Amino acid sequence: MLFNSLHFIVFFISFILILFSVPQILRKYWLFIASCYFYMVFKPEYLLILFSIILIDFFCGQKIEKTIRHKKIWLSISIISNLGILVFYKYFNFFGENINYFLGLFNQNNNLPILNFILPIGLSFHTFQAMSYTIEVYRGKQKSEKNILIYSLYVMYFPQLVAGPIERPQNLIHQLKSKIYFNYDNFLNGIFRMSVGFFKKVVIADRLALYTDNVFNNLNSANGLETIIATFFFSIQIYCDFSGYTDIAIGASKIIGIKLMENFNLPYFSKSIGEFWKRWHISLSSWFKDYLYIPLGGNKSGKFKIIFNIIIVFSLSGFWHGAKWNFIIWGLLHGIVLIFEKSTRLHNNLKFNKITKTILTFTFVNFAWIFFRANNLNDTLLTFKNIASIKLTDTYLLCFNNIEFIFTFLLIIGLFITEYLFNNKNVKSRLHLISLTIFFVICSYLFGEFYSKQFIYFQF
Amino acid sequence: MKGIFKILGLLFGLFLILILAVSSNSKWFNYFIDFAPNPYRYGDVFYYSSLPKYKSKLNRGKFCLYKQRANNNINLTVIGDSYFRDFDSCSFNVQNYNFIHWDNVPDTINYLNKNDINILIIETTERYSLWRLVNSNLIVEGKKHTNIDSVKVDLNSEDKLQYIVTNYEPFISLKSLKAQIYLNLFDKVDGRVSKPDIYNNVFLKEVTDTNSIYSAYYNISDTYIDNIVESLNLSDKKLKSIGFDYIYLSIVPNSVGLNKYYKKNYNYVANRIMQDKKLQMQTINTYKLFNNSDLCAYYYNDSHWNRTGQILWLTYVNEILNKKGKN
């Protein structure tokens, strides 16, 4: 179910009304049923995959806690099972195609089969969240959960089921165990946060998508200026798309009374790539830091080991996003620049002011998004070729008229200013909250693009 | 008091779940869809465009031409669509009139009296002709022979939900406001209608989009037309063996096809089928009639014909019926 659909709005209203009307004892069950329905709307049979992940990790978590000798074995079973499902559904065809290509170079025609199935939505998110549970139990930082209902909700809690934030058991499980109460302030703040998320998604991201899709899906006919604008627009689009989703998830959860972690903190105001990764998709970057980078040795190992660790973490982070070379290169690019920053202490040594550093960082991030957005490596090269061929006479309007083009730029400027001034600050006055929510809802409807465009991160 | 609110909340929540169920494409809930306001009440194009300038109430209601039933032994059966919703037995100069909607066409007809003059009119619109003429068991005698894929038309559940939940005032006013803002500021209309830039009219996108099989500009090969004609010839024989004395095919042209600004690449499906020399079925071709008329035969906010179109078609058909009655 897409958050930006009427289906979700009707579903969510009915869910909330029933949640706070039924007796306390039934509320968790209702939350579980709603989460199942939410996921089944995408493809009902994939609920079985989700249940198998839940059962394996629930069982492994208990075993890890009980045994002393075989902790590692049970942790390995959990991790191999989760990664096995992820690799099979997400990466099998990627490896198959590459092996086939490689064999083809030596005239070997024993082709591996290419499987024809749709990736279960949000698989990368819930497998990572499930793994963080068994790892934390193994580390002794989290007690294993004895109630299968609570553990199921930890993996499939619908506001963050398909695109995060990737929660840690320490933050979510105890909240899921608590009683669910209606709180008027939570309700107002949640609705407000959701309205901001809808606005970002349907008014900004989906409007920008009209332009970027037009360019990146027809690169042969796009000119240099259009390609540059589309690249810039995509940076804003992906931010509004993903942070808009997160706002809706956090807001919806707040109404239920559960606080989810923040996933963004003004990433485009970063003054270095290192800082960018502390502000962008925080739940994923901290996951990689805690469960991969630090176990590999982190910053405490030798210089070459650090470089190696960063390269491993960033390539895998890129690969996590999708089974394409483009994503791996995108991750690697970030890793290389981070290594360069660390080894030269560039951001400290450069005598640029903060604004120049921010612009330089944003320009690099923008450049790297090209690899992320282009449909394949050929398209990436074509994008650079287009940009290099920019002329003064290039047209730029594409699917917009002058007014919509200016309106779009004003939206982007407005977004940066408001986010900078009010970043995640709570609006205290109830009257302000209500009026701002009404404003965002009306603007979202009147200026929103409603063609049920999926969130970009749903595909991961 | 708190308890009452909880019960009301529960009931309303359950009601919303029922709405979600109805909007799903499950057949179990098809009955409930009739409770929702009719999406065609201002015309199907208005439903999609929401622009207030196209918001005219349609002139609907039974359209009678004859006060008394004729005594001419003509038993008229019409297989048709929504174009016939204003017609009744009083619209035709016949003794008996039976209307069968395309959605309910039986596999055979057994009420025909061989002492009567049994006439069948197969009416479809140009937009749906490629779909209708290959999907009904009664009409398509050579279904396998035609080698034409059937196409299912269905609203997706999000569209259904939208019209169940938002097809009321003040939502309609809000939709109109959005449509006006988009047209006036961004020069855009709803993605499901064609832009009204030339003529005081809007058209359903599926009629003008060249990729849609319902489009008047979809590229239809001669082989495709030959297959349909061949199938209709087989149907003609089968229907005559059932007991029909005369069978007429009437494909009502798309309004967009009559618009001089939209002529380029028009596929002329109606004319190509009805004027095919191999076609043995008789035809009621109103293309010339509608095209030559100074009066517009269609609603300007709807793809259906208006009273003028109805009169032109009925006059033409009743002339044919009168001749058959005399024979």
Side-chain angles (χ1 to χ4, degrees):
Chain A
M1 191 187 305
L2 298 176
F3 276 172
N4 55 329
S5 64
L6 188 61
H7 190 167
F8 174 74
I9 293 169
V10 175
F11 157 79
F12 189 69
I13 296 171
S14 63
F15 162 75
I16 288 296
L17 284 171
I18 295 173
L19 181 77
F20 293 119
S21 304
V22 295
Q24 187 63 244
I25 196 165
L26 296 176
R27 290 182 182 177
K28 300 274 161 54
Y29 292 99
W30 176 237
L31 185 55
F32 174 74
I33 291 166
S35 297
C36 289
Y37 174 76
F38 182 86
Y39 197 68
M40 282 171 71
V41 169
F42 294 112
K43 208 164 173 27
E45 48 271 39
Y46 282 163
L47 197 63
L48 294 174
I49 298 171
L50 200 57
F51 282 150
S52 56
I53 291 171
I54 289 169
L55 286 175
I56 292 167
D57 293 322
F58 179 72
F59 186 71
C60 288
Q62 305 225 351
K63 285 287 179 190
I64 291 168
E65 194 177 62
K66 277 180 191 166
T67 60
I68 300 169
R69 283 185 176 182
H70 305 301
K71 274 179 185 284
K72 269 194 181 167
I73 294 174
W74 288 110
L75 178 67
S76 307
I77 291 172
S78 161
I79 290 176
I80 290 168
S81 310
N82 283 297
L83 289 181
I85 290 170
L86 186 62
V87 168
F88 178 75
Y89 279 100
K90 192 165 177 175
Y91 301 108
F92 185 87
N93 284 347
F94 174 79
F95 290 124
E97 281 166 9
N98 281 283
I99 291 168
N100 288 344
Y101 177 78
F102 185 74
L103 290 175
L105 293 177
F106 299 98
N107 294 326
Q108 299 290 318
N109 292 325
N110 296 330
N111 282 352
L112 283 173
I114 300 300
L115 303 176
N116 189 19
F117 48 60
I118 303 164
L119 174 72
I121 206 148
L123 186 67
S124 311
F125 287 91
H126 44 256
T127 46
F128 268 45
Q129 184 155 317
M131 277 193 285
S132 80
Y133 165 77
T134 43
I135 296 171
E136 292 297 328
V137 174
Y138 173 79
R139 289 176 174 176
K141 291 180 181 172
Q142 171 70 36
K143 284 191 173 177
S144 72
E145 181 51 51
K146 307 291 183 294
N147 185 335
I148 184 82
L149 178 71
I150 298 295
Y151 181 71
S152 303
L153 282 173
Y154 165 71
V155 179
M156 58 186 301
Y157 176 53
F158 78 85
Q160 46 95 243
L161 173 61
V162 288
I166 304 168
E167 280 292 345
R168 302 303 163 82
Q170 294 93 325
N171 182 39
L172 194 54
I173 288 183
H174 75 91
Q175 294 193 74
L176 289 167
K177 281 179 161 176
S178 312
K179 287 184 175 178
I180 297 173
Y181 287 113
F182 179 80
N183 177 294
Y184 189 61
D185 284 325
N186 278 351
F187 176 77
L188 285 184
N189 278 299
I191 289 281
F192 170 67
R193 190 76 189 260
M194 287 176 85
S195 68
V196 172
F198 282 121
F199 183 84
K200 280 187 191 170
K201 168 66 179 164
V202 297
V203 181
I204 306 181
D206 286 352
R207 169 162 282 103
L208 295 173
L210 294 173
Y211 198 96
T212 55
D213 287 352
N214 218 318
V215 170
F216 281 101
N217 294 337
N218 306 289
L219 279 165
N220 284 317
S221 54
N223 65 38
L225 186 57
E226 285 164 353
T227 313
I228 288 175
I229 293 170
T231 307
F232 168 69
F233 276 2
F234 182 71
S235 304
I236 311 299
Q237 183 201 335
I238 193 167
Y239 171 66
C240 287
D241 192 283
F242 195 17
S243 73
Y245 165 85
T246 310
D247 286 335
I248 299 169
I250 291 174
S253 189
K254 196 158 198 168
I255 294 171
I256 301 166
I258 291 171
K259 194 169 183 260
L260 297 178
M261 70 183 290
E262 292 293 340
N263 225 1
F264 295 90
N265 180 19
L266 304 177
Y268 290 150
F269 288 90
S270 307
K271 294 177 284 299
S272 67
I273 290 302
E275 191 185 344
F276 175 78
W277 279 102
K278 285 175 189 149
R279 290 165 173 263
W280 176 273
H281 201 175
I282 299 165
S283 64
L284 179 73
S285 44
S286 61
W287 195 100
F288 273 108
K289 185 181 142 205
D290 293 347
Y291 301 129
L292 190 64
Y293 185 67
I294 292 173
L296 283 172
N299 285 338
K300 289 175 183 168
S301 36
K303 201 175 177 181
F304 289 105
K305 188 76 197 305
I306 292 175
I307 291 173
F308 176 77
N309 292 347
I310 291 175
I311 292 290
I312 289 287
V313 168
F314 275 87
S315 337
L316 285 177
S317 163
F319 201 38
W320 176 90
H321 284 84
K324 274 187 191 175
W325 284 106
N326 273 43
F327 290 119
I328 299 174
I329 296 172
W330 170 77
L332 269 174
L333 275 173
H334 276 272
I336 290 165
V337 173
L338 187 65
I339 291 166
F340 189 65
E341 270 179 7
K342 276 184 182 281
S343 55
T344 57
R345 298 195 181 278
L346 189 68
H347 61 281
N348 289 336
N349 294 340
L350 279 180
K351 288 182 180 169
F352 291 141
N353 62 24
K354 283 180 186 175
I355 295 172
T356 316
K357 283 179 184 174
T358 306
I359 291 170
L360 281 174
T361 307
F362 180 71
T363 309
F364 168 75
V365 172
N366 227 301
F367 161 79
W369 283 132
I370 293 173
F371 288 86
F372 197 96
R373 175 58 185 86
N375 298 323
N376 48 49
L377 286 176
N378 284 339
D379 277 7
T380 314
L381 293 176
L382 203 53
T383 308
F384 291 126
K385 207 173 147 191
N386 279 355
I387 291 173
S389 68
I390 187 170
K391 289 188 217 82
L392 277 172
T393 51
D394 281 352
T395 53
Y396 58 91
L397 286 174
L398 270 183
C399 48
F400 292 164
N401 65 5
N402 274 317
I403 296 174
E404 192 169 12
F405 198 78
I406 294 165
F407 176 70
T408 307
F409 267 100
L410 288 177
L411 281 173
I412 295 170
I413 294 166
L415 171 84
F416 279 125
I417 293 172
T418 22
E419 291 234 314
Y420 187 74
L421 293 176
F422 303 105
N423 181 35
N424 296 335
K425 278 179 194 161
N426 281 334
V427 182
K428 282 174 187 164
S429 151
R430 283 182 174 178
L431 189 67
H432 283 166
L433 267 181
I434 294 169
S435 33
L436 281 171
T437 305
I438 292 170
F439 171 79
F440 278 118
V441 168
I442 291 175
C443 286
S444 298
Y445 178 71
L446 291 181
F447 297 103
E449 292 289 341
F450 293 94
Y451 47 97
S452 288
K453 191 159 172 65
Q454 187 164 298
F455 287 87
I456 295 172
Y457 267 71
F458 273 30
Q459 61 187 299
F460 309 138
Chain B
M1 197 64 182
K2 211 176 169 183
I4 293 171
F5 275 124
K6 279 191 176 180
I7 291 168
L8 287 176
L10 184 65
L11 289 175
F12 190 59
L14 292 171
F15 173 70
L16 289 179
I17 288 176
L18 181 69
I19 286 178
L20 282 181
V22 170
S23 69
S24 71
N25 282 325
S26 166
K27 284 181 184 171
W28 294 5
F29 298 102
N30 271 356
Y31 175 75
F32 289 94
I33 205 99
D34 293 338
F35 289 112
N38 183 354
Y40 291 110
R41 60 189 158 155
Y42 295 117
D44 50 1
V45 179
F46 166 78
Y47 167 57
Y48 289 122
S49 76
S50 296
L51 287 166
K53 72 189 269 199
Y54 301 106
K55 194 179 187 177
S56 71
K57 287 268 186 191
L58 300 181
N59 186 8
R60 293 266 156 85
K62 292 289 171 228
F63 183 42
C64 285
L65 289 176
Y66 302 94
K67 285 181 182 172
Q68 287 182 329
R69 280 197 173 187
N71 191 17
N72 55 7
N73 282 353
I74 292 183
N75 184 358
L76 174 68
T77 301
V78 173
I79 294 174
D81 52 24
S82 55
Y83 276 57
F84 269 67
R85 69 183 141 204
D86 295 344
F87 294 170
D88 205 348
S89 52
C90 60
S91 310
F92 300 93
N93 191 24
V94 293
Q95 193 166 297
N96 286 308
Y97 168 72
N98 297 293
F99 175 73
I100 303 168
H101 194 277
W102 277 103
D103 292 342
N104 308 310
V105 177
D107 287 343
T108 189
I109 289 173
N110 47 22
Y111 56 74
L112 301 176
N113 184 344
K114 292 202 173 173
N115 297 323
D116 289 341
I117 303 165
N118 293 301
I119 298 177
L120 172 69
I121 297 176
I122 301 167
E123 178 275 333
T124 178
T125 56
E126 195 167 19
R127 176 153 64 106
Y128 285 127
S129 59
L130 294 174
W131 178 56
R132 298 279 198 212
L133 295 176
V134 299
N135 267 289
S136 155
N137 286 336
L138 182 73
I139 307 300
V140 186
E141 178 62 6
K143 189 166 184 172
K144 286 175 191 167
H145 186 68
T146 56
N147 210 12
I148 296 165
D149 294 331
S150 60
V151 187
K152 195 169 184 288
V153 186
D154 215 347
L155 277 177
N156 66 39
S157 56
E158 182 74 7
D159 276 346
K160 264 189 188 173
L161 186 64
Q162 255 196 46
Y163 108 73
I164 293 171
V165 176
T166 67
N167 210 7
Y168 309 87
E169 286 291 348
F171 291 113
I172 288 179
S173 302
L174 208 58
K175 281 184 195 174
S176 300
L177 179 63
K178 183 187 170 86
Q180 267 184 310
I181 289 174
Y182 262 63
L183 183 68
N184 297 334
L185 281 182
F186 305 144
D187 201 16
K188 284 179 181 172
V189 287
D190 185 300
R192 289 168 294 186
V193 293
S194 288
K195 202 175 151 204
D197 52 353
I198 302 171
Y199 193 58
N200 188 22
N201 219 325
V202 278
F203 299 108
L204 284 170
K205 190 84 174 184
E206 66 183 29
V207 177
T208 54
D209 176 9
T210 51
N211 296 318
S212 158
I213 193 161
Y214 309 114
S215 166
Y217 304 94
Y218 186 75
N219 189 13
I220 308 286
S221 67
D222 288 341
T223 322
Y224 206 106
I225 298 291
D226 285 348
N227 283 338
I228 290 181
V229 168
E230 207 167 324
S231 168
L232 286 170
N233 288 342
L234 290 167
S235 310
D236 190 61
K237 277 181 197 160
K238 177 192 168 184
L239 293 162
K240 278 179 179 160
S241 72
I242 290 173
F244 284 110
D245 301 299
Y246 303 99
I247 299 154
Y248 292 92
L249 174 69
S250 177
I251 304 177
V252 182
N254 283 318
S255 53
V256 67
L258 303 170
N259 186 321
K260 60 182 177 181
Y261 297 105
Y262 281 83
K263 288 280 193 205
K264 199 183 168 193
N265 297 330
Y266 180 48
N267 62 19
Y268 290 98
V269 162
N271 272 343
R272 281 165 72 191
I273 294 174
M274 289 195 290
Q275 290 178 355
D276 194 301
K277 284 177 184 167
K278 291 189 282 291
L279 183 71
Q280 288 156 14
M281 203 176 266
Q282 296 183 73
T283 58
I284 296 165
N285 192 346
T286 49
Y287 184 84
K288 272 189 186 168
L289 213 59
F290 284 15
N291 201 29
N292 295 338
S293 170
D294 292 335
L295 305 162
C296 181
Y298 299 89
Y299 286 111
Y300 73 95
N301 62 341
D302 190 290
S303 58
H304 290 94
W305 55 24
N306 57 16
R307 280 282 189 257
T308 309
Q310 289 174 347
I311 290 170
L312 286 170
W313 191 88
L314 271 181
T315 311
Y316 187 63
V317 168
N318 277 311
E319 272 174 24
I320 294 171
L321 294 173
N322 288 339
K323 281 179 195 168
K324 297 297 171 196
K326 281 172 195 167
N327 292 341

